[in-house]
Amino acid sequence: MAAACAVTAAAVLLPLAQAAPEAGRPAVVHEPGAVAVAPQTPWTLTDTCQDPEASLRPSAVDGPTIERIRKAGKLVAGVDQNSFKWGYRNPVDGRLDGFDIALVKAIAKDILGDENAVIYRAIPTSQRVPALQDGRVDVVVRTMTINCKRLEDVAFSTAYFEAGQQVLAPKGSPITGYDASLKGRRICTAAGSTAETALKAQSYGAVAVSVPNQLDCLVRLQLGEVDGIITDNALAAGQAAQDPSVRLVGSPFTREFYGVAMNKEATDLVRRVNKVLENYRAGGDASPWMQAYTTHLKPVLPGVAGPPAPKYRD
């Protein structure tokens, strides 16, 4: 299992669809060689802006970003291919699948009339913001938490899922949660993630280990190179489903919301994605959101009643 995961993790930087990129865009999102040890800007988990989940009101009016995407004929989406049930390679047919991928398809269908008109680009956690700022992707749909620090650099849609940070550890481990039981333990987080920031802010004496992607943490846990993982409980539920020898311990110690991230200047795209999300949430148990949840997440993350309610700021 570990060897298979390692092979998958090593492939994260490959372009996921062979299609002509838009002029002026690099064909592949490359990971810097030192990303795992690159210095991170310190920030706390306490948001200082008001209502970070509040986004621009939805609109179907076309703007310059929408026109550019239509001219290119493809939506370029930054995704994960290693997060089971969120963005991963389906072992049955080898295609990208998951809750986040279903949302990408809904956005492409609305803008381009074809859910398959997408160039998928796998990007590590730490490259989500740079990929948007550099114009290498149009959207990032990759279990990305909305917070004030990130809002300085990118724009977000309204929230499409609620999660929280939690500890993943082997069954039988003395680790009991995000508490003093972490002392002296090697705890893995993805570089640039909320979990990494949490551990820097309050380590409980843990030895922090930073890696480019969430799946790298699971591989290291399987190899005995770390003692536990801190990540979103929604992601961790998928990892626990992949490996029954690990389990979530303690309780979630944050409340976080995932959003679709976009370039700050692409306000027309932000409004359009929020319009897509309005339709995606509509219909109760028959909504596209609930259908995607039932298909992808309910088996590993039961008990979710529905999507978070949208907040708007204009």
Side-chain angles (χ1 to χ4, degrees), residues 9-246:
V12 304
L13 297 180
L14 297 178
L16 302 185
Q18 298 301 321
E22 185 180 342
R25 289 187 175 185
V28 184
V29 177
H30 293 284
E31 178 193 349
V35 66
V37 294
Q40 302 290 319
T41 302
W43 56 285
T44 68
L45 289 176
T46 303
D47 278 329
T48 55
C49 59
Q50 186 175 6
D51 270 342
E53 294 85 29
S55 184
L56 299 176
R57 290 197 177 275
S59 173
V61 176
D62 293 347
T65 311
I66 300 295
E67 290 176 358
R68 176 181 57 73
I69 292 170
R70 284 202 175 131
K71 184 177 180 180
K74 297 283 185 179
L75 176 74
V76 185
V79 298
D80 197 351
Q81 67 171 8
N82 298 315
S83 292
F84 188 51
K85 297 299 184 181
W86 288 93
Y88 71 108
R89 289 287 185 184
N90 192 314
V92 176
D93 56 18
R95 295 186 179 183
L96 275 175
D97 205 356
F99 190 83
D100 280 347
I101 304 304
L103 180 52
V104 171
K105 289 180 177 181
I107 296 169
K109 179 69 179 291
D110 182 87
I111 296 174
L112 297 165
D114 180 0
E115 68 174 21
N116 295 313
V118 182
I119 298 175
Y120 292 103
R121 289 185 174 155
I123 52 176
T125 304
S126 61
Q127 287 297 293
R128 292 176 297 188
V129 169
L132 286 166
Q133 292 177 320
D134 298 344
R136 290 175 277 172
V137 297
D138 299 314
V139 295
V140 168
V141 187
R142 196 186 180 285
T143 58
M144 190 169 179
T145 300
I146 304 167
N147 61 45
C148 294
K149 176 59 181 176
R150 288 173 180 160
L151 282 169
E152 295 175 5
D153 301 315
V154 298
F156 279 99
S157 70
T158 53
Y160 67 86
F161 201 87
E162 181 178 344
Q165 295 295 310
Q166 200 166 348
V167 178
L168 188 71
K171 291 179 179 177
S173 167
I175 296 174
T176 57
Y178 186 61
D179 53 34
S181 67
L182 297 180
K183 185 175 182 179
R185 308 289 176 183
R186 298 161 298 174
I187 302 300
C188 189
T189 61
S193 67
T194 308
E196 183 185 50
T197 302
L199 198 61
K200 286 182 177 180
Q202 174 58 273
S203 71
Y204 287 107
V207 178
V209 177
S210 180
V211 297
N213 285 291
Q214 300 288 354
L215 186 63
D216 299 331
C217 281
L218 182 59
V219 173
R220 291 201 178 201
L221 189 64
Q222 292 167 331
L223 294 174
E225 295 176 359
V226 298
D227 303 302
I229 301 168
I230 298 177
T231 187
D232 300 358
N233 60 350
L235 285 172
Q239 293 179 350
Q242 285 178 291
D243 185 350
S245 70
V246 300

Side-chain angles (χ1 to χ4, degrees), residues 250-294:
S251 301
F253 58 90
T254 64
R255 188 182 183 197
E256 301 171 18
F257 297 89
Y258 297 158
V260 178
M262 292 154 278
N263 189 286
K264 287 191 74 170
E265 304 302 317
T267 55
D268 60 321
L269 181 58
V270 175
R271 293 183 186 276
R272 188 57 168 266
V273 170
N274 283 339
K275 182 65 175 176
V276 173
L277 284 171
E278 270 200 340
N279 298 331
Y280 205 65
R281 299 183 189 98
D285 289 343
S287 68
W289 189 98
M290 187 57 73
Q291 291 174 10
Y293 165 73
T294 301

